[in-house]
Amino acid sequence: MSEKKEKKRRRKDEYTGPGEQEVEKPSKEEYKIAKWMKKNVKTKKTKFLSHNVEYFSSGKTLDALMNSKFAEGDEPFFKSRENAIEFLDVMLEHKFFHRARKVPVYPEGKLKANEKEIVKEDKPDKTKSDSDNVNTQSASEDVPKSKDKRKRKIRLDMHSEQVFVDGSEAYVWIYDPIPIHYWIFGLILLLGAILICLFPLWPPFLRKGVYYLSVLAAGFLVFILALVVIRFIVFIIVYLASLSKLHFWIFPNLTEDVGFLASFWPLYEAKYENEAQTEKKMKRKKKDKESDNEDDIPDIIPLEPETIENIKEHDDSMILRKRESDNKKSSE
């Protein structure tokens, strides 16, 4: 019976649907090299299809592999650079990473300014001599070179050709192994759940300790809720007494998204209405800068056919008046 079940499992694993190709499983060497690359090859972070990803350069990766233990010894794993490129191409097929296309991101307003500068440089001055024009052309050639040296922000887009190529090509990591500390934390949680289930078998002094701890936790929650209500009542009293000019808060960070200790500091905060309004404006400006949404373009309202006909009639009447005035002048 056990042999039949094993045969059925093998058939299910080996089965491929119509139009599908058999995909080989990655080898142990591929996993070994992928782990080494994750540790030793430098990566950069950027956005890829609205996701934060890590990518590496193909040329730097090949340099690191050729200087590693995989290319040393009497019988190295990578005998040449081309051999390493072929191996990494197989890893790409097994979806350890994929190729991406670099797209430069220009800040808002700078692209138009650069275009204006180029147009100004292309227009020669008639008053200047030929020697001056030569000097301006050489200076204009030096300016973009210095600008190109500056670091530009880059985002990634999907590449149509999924092949591993030597050079400065970008490859995004798909392989993301689970770290060891995740397994340790998972084991601790599992043991903790088993211990909680065995609570009736605990000795009496442990059960009493857990009871007192639960009472303390419940009391702390009630204290926090009461503090939220008290700070709100104090705010209303001060706000009404100052004729809606003073904003006074006890523990202003208590309901904010901060750490545990930071939520209890500062102890109080007092602001007048003008200061509060300026802070709100500053927060709005920061949100506008952080948002990547483009400015709303106003909708173009199409003209009605009656208005179009009226415009045409007006234009025709203007043309006739001009002709009549020209004929009168010619007759005189």
Side-chain angles (χ1 to χ4, degrees):
M1 292 290 288
S2 61
E3 291 178 358
K4 289 181 180 179
K5 288 180 180 178
E6 287 178 1
K7 286 180 181 178
K8 285 180 181 179
R9 286 176 184 173
R10 287 176 186 174
R11 286 174 185 173
K12 286 180 180 178
D13 294 335
E14 292 174 358
Y15 175 75
T16 54
E20 295 180 358
Q21 295 180 355
E22 293 184 2
V23 180
E24 295 179 358
K25 291 182 179 180
S27 60
K28 293 180 180 179
E29 289 80 7
E30 291 178 20
Y31 281 110
K32 188 178 179 181
I33 288 167
K35 288 177 182 177
W36 184 90
M37 287 170 63
K38 290 283 283 186
K39 288 180 181 179
N40 299 300
V41 177
K42 291 182 179 179
T43 57
K44 293 181 181 179
K45 292 182 179 180
T46 187
K47 284 191 175 181
F48 177 76
L49 301 175
S50 71
H51 293 286
N52 293 322
V53 295
E54 292 183 350
Y55 72 95
F56 61 90
S57 177
S58 57
K60 291 179 181 179
T61 304
L62 289 168
D63 292 337
L65 286 171
M66 297 311 294
N67 293 324
S68 66
K69 61 182 180 180
F70 299 106
E72 295 175 354
D74 297 332
E75 294 181 357
F77 189 77
F78 297 127
K79 295 179 181 179
S80 63
R81 198 177 181 90
E82 293 177 356
N83 191 3
I85 292 168
E86 290 176 1
F87 187 83
L88 291 171
D89 195 12
V90 174
M91 289 180 69
L92 188 143
E93 290 179 0
H94 291 159
K95 296 181 180 179
F96 283 90
F97 43 81
H98 66 82
R99 189 181 180 188
R101 183 168 58 87
K102 292 180 181 179
V103 180
V105 178
Y106 294 97
E108 292 180 359
K110 284 193 176 181
L111 183 61
K112 293 181 179 178
N114 291 332
E115 287 176 357
K116 288 178 181 178
E117 287 176 3
I118 292 162
V119 170
K120 286 180 181 178
E121 288 171 0
D122 290 338
K123 289 181 180 179
D125 294 332
K126 292 180 181 180
T127 58
K128 290 183 180 180
S129 61
D130 295 333
S131 61
D132 294 332
N133 289 328
V134 171
N135 291 326
T136 53
Q137 285 176 2
S138 61
S140 63
E141 287 175 358
D142 293 333
V143 171
K145 285 181 182 178
S146 62
K147 288 182 180 179
D148 290 335
K149 288 179 182 178
R150 295 177 185 175
K151 290 183 179 179
R152 291 179 180 176
K153 291 183 180 179
I154 289 170
R155 68 176 178 83
L156 299 177
D157 199 359
M158 202 67 188
H159 205 289
S160 58
E161 296 179 358
Q162 290 298 315
V163 184
F164 196 87
V165 182
D166 190 1
S168 61
E169 297 294 323
Y171 290 86
V172 179
W173 275 112
I174 300 172
Y175 175 67
D176 190 15
I178 299 168
I180 296 169
H181 62 272
Y182 277 47
W183 294 102
I184 294 166
F185 291 150
L187 183 63
I188 291 166
L189 289 171
L190 182 63
L191 293 172
I194 292 167
L195 286 171
I196 290 166
C197 292
L198 296 173
F199 179 74
L201 301 177
W202 289 13
F205 69 93
L206 283 177
R207 281 183 284 177
K208 281 184 180 179
V210 171
Y211 171 74
Y212 289 130
L213 285 173
S214 62
V215 170
L216 283 172
F220 181 73
L221 288 173
V222 171
F223 170 72
I224 294 294
L225 293 171
L227 193 60
V228 170
V229 175
I230 289 165
R231 69 192 287 271
F232 188 67
I233 292 167
V234 170
F235 173 78
I236 291 170
I237 292 167
V238 174
Y239 185 76
L240 294 173
S242 63
L243 300 174
S244 67
K245 289 182 179 180
L246 182 62
H247 296 255
F248 182 81
W249 287 103
I250 300 169
F251 299 114
N253 292 328
L254 188 64
T255 56
E256 297 293 329
D257 188 11
V258 292
F260 178 76
L261 296 174
S263 60
F264 294 98
W265 190 261
L267 298 176
Y268 67 92
E269 187 180 41
K271 290 180 183 178
Y272 287 94
E273 189 176 2
N274 293 329
E275 294 178 0
Q277 286 177 358
T278 52
E279 281 194 356
K280 285 180 181 179
K281 287 179 181 178
M282 291 295 289
K283 286 180 180 179
R284 285 176 185 174
K285 285 180 181 179
K286 285 182 181 178
K287 286 180 181 179
D288 293 337
K289 286 180 181 178
E290 289 174 358
S291 63
D292 296 327
N293 297 328
E294 295 180 353
D295 297 332
D296 296 330
I297 300 168
D299 297 330
I300 298 167
I301 301 168
L303 294 172
E304 295 180 358
E306 294 179 357
T307 56
I308 293 167
E309 289 179 0
N310 292 328
I311 291 165
K312 286 180 179 179
E313 288 176 359
H314 179 70
D315 293 336
D316 292 335
S317 63
M318 289 292 290
I319 291 163
L320 290 170
R321 286 175 185 174
K322 284 182 179 181
R323 285 179 181 176
E324 288 175 358
S325 62
D326 294 334
N327 291 328
K328 286 180 181 179
K329 286 178 182 179
S330 62
S331 63
E332 289 176 357

